[in-house]
Amino acid sequence: MGKQYRVASKGLPDGEKVICAVRQEKISLGLPDAESLNGTVIEATYYGSIVRCRINIDGETSLTAEVPVSQAFVEAGENVGINIQPKDILIFPHDNQ
């Protein structure tokens, strides 16, 4: 995705490629800035108490975030900052095959 992040993991050597996963409800959205991962909202669908947002990060990668409707300020086409707490990142070894 063009950016590299340092993450803490147990049992993997420094510099090792990994796959990171985050649950949709653990992602929060804010204003885009140089410190956050930024993207463009492709789709925002209201589901009662949550809004499910599909976000394009770099033209090739997208992710889905579920945010409470009380915090949802987004519409399709808006640029957003994607915020993820380090404790919410699940880390898996990267399979190079």
Side-chain angles (χ1 to χ4, degrees):
M1 293 189 303
K3 289 188 178 185
Q4 291 186 13
Y5 296 92
R6 288 183 98 29
V7 293
S9 66
K10 294 180 180 175
L12 293 172
D14 285 351
E16 185 78 16
K17 272 189 166 184
V18 297
I19 296 172
C20 296
V22 180
R23 294 186 57 86
Q24 300 176 63
E25 66 273 12
K26 298 294 186 181
I27 300 169
S28 64
L29 304 178
L31 297 174
D33 62 38
E35 298 299 316
S36 64
L37 183 62
N38 298 310
T40 304
V41 177
I42 301 167
E43 178 178 48
T45 307
Y46 291 83
Y47 289 97
S49 62
I50 63 160
V51 179
R52 184 171 293 151
C53 302
R54 204 162 52 107
I55 302 164
N56 181 313
I57 297 173
D58 61 6
E60 296 179 17
T61 306
S62 67
L63 61 79
T64 302
E66 288 184 356
V67 296
V69 73
S70 60
Q71 298 174 8
F73 59 90
V74 296
E75 294 181 13
E78 286 191 60
N79 293 321
V80 294
I82 301 160
N83 304 301
I84 302 167
Q85 296 298 313
K87 67 179 179 63
D88 294 328
I89 300 172
L90 304 173
I91 301 170
F92 304 95
H94 186 273
D95 184 7
N96 292 323
Q97 296 180 15

